[in-house]
Amino acid sequence: MNGSTGSTRKPVHLAVHDAMADWETGHATAYLARAGYEIRTVGPSTAPVRSIGGLRIQPDVALADVRPEDSSLLILPGGDLWDTSDDLAPFARTARAFLDAGVPVAAICGATAGLAREGLLDDRAHTSAVSFYLAATGYAGGERYVEADAVTDGLLITAGPTEPVAFAREILGLLGVYEGEVLDAWYRLFHDSDPEAYAVLEKAGAQ
């Protein structure tokens, strides 16, 4: 586990919006919080939103007030609004600001299409649900698409909607929460229900 203390870590910002896919980020945020990161929810405004699962969420902060220099990471979950309106485009523009400032961004499911429309996947290796889903955005990054559960290219993490555990694995690895065999064991435990992986985590004090 990363040796820095929670008090010195900048928060992780989690985008929240109506019809967000609330199951896609739970592994990541739970284990980031256990590692000492504060999770701050970011809405289009501070008005409450409701997830696909019916959870009512009161955002901690409005998107317009989020600055990359105050954050360790921006997480963008999926949701139908990425494909049915331009309402979430400001989140993709904020992702550009984060990456330009050298702060990581992690996008899963529909959020990858939002980043594609913003041009952020044109020159970075990435993945999503399927290649033709992103191709429908008209983006120029098709040759950089990777058939994988999740992909990290520099400061950008992408994953498809069926891979919340792999998505979390990449996030935990990028931020140094878990590394090496411990990170691999964490993934095998939650993805494969591997009992031997639990023993590795217990020995490392990572449970």
Side-chain angles (χ1 to χ4, degrees):
M1 183 176 290
N2 191 307
S4 60
T5 63
S7 62
T8 61
R9 290 174 172 154
K10 296 177 182 179
V12 167
H13 288 88
L14 170 68
V16 295
H17 47 79
D18 285 332
M20 65 172 281
D22 42 16
W23 64 90
E24 293 177 342
T25 60
H27 287 84
T29 55
Y31 277 83
L32 288 171
R34 292 184 70 170
Y37 286 93
E38 177 190 5
I39 308 300
R40 290 184 60 78
T41 52
V42 183
S45 69
T46 55
V49 300
R50 195 169 295 276
S51 73
I52 290 178
L55 299 181
R56 183 182 184 277
I57 303 169
Q58 180 75 55
D60 293 314
V61 62
L63 183 62
D65 296 326
V66 173
R67 302 187 306 169
E69 58 266 33
D70 297 330
S71 184
S72 291
L73 170 72
L74 175 64
I75 301 177
L76 301 175
D80 294 342
L81 288 178
W82 285 107
D83 297 317
T84 59
S85 76
D86 294 327
D87 291 355
L88 302 184
F91 284 102
R93 290 194 290 270
T94 297
R96 176 181 291 281
F98 268 61
L99 293 170
D100 287 348
V103 182
V105 172
I108 186 169
C109 187
T112 62
L115 298 191
R117 294 185 187 96
E118 182 64 20
L120 295 175
L121 305 185
D122 290 351
D123 300 312
R124 294 177 172 92
H126 60 276
T127 194
S128 184
V130 288
S131 60
F132 59 79
Y133 169 64
L134 290 187
T137 68
Y139 84 132
E143 292 185 354
R144 304 300 304 275
Y145 188 90
V146 180
E147 294 288 352
D149 53 9
V151 171
T152 298
D153 186 336
L155 296 175
L156 180 65
I157 295 168
T158 51
T162 61
E163 299 294 345
V165 180
F167 185 57
R169 177 196 64 206
E170 298 301 299
I171 290 171
L172 298 175
L174 185 63
L175 293 186
V177 173
Y178 300 135
E179 299 172 339
E181 68 172 3
V182 176
L183 180 63
D184 178 65
W186 183 92
Y187 176 74
R188 287 188 288 111
L189 177 63
F190 287 99
H191 189 266
D192 304 325
S193 300
D194 184 346
E196 294 182 5
Y198 183 85
V200 174
L201 295 176
E202 189 172 42
K203 182 179 180 180
Q207 277 295 302

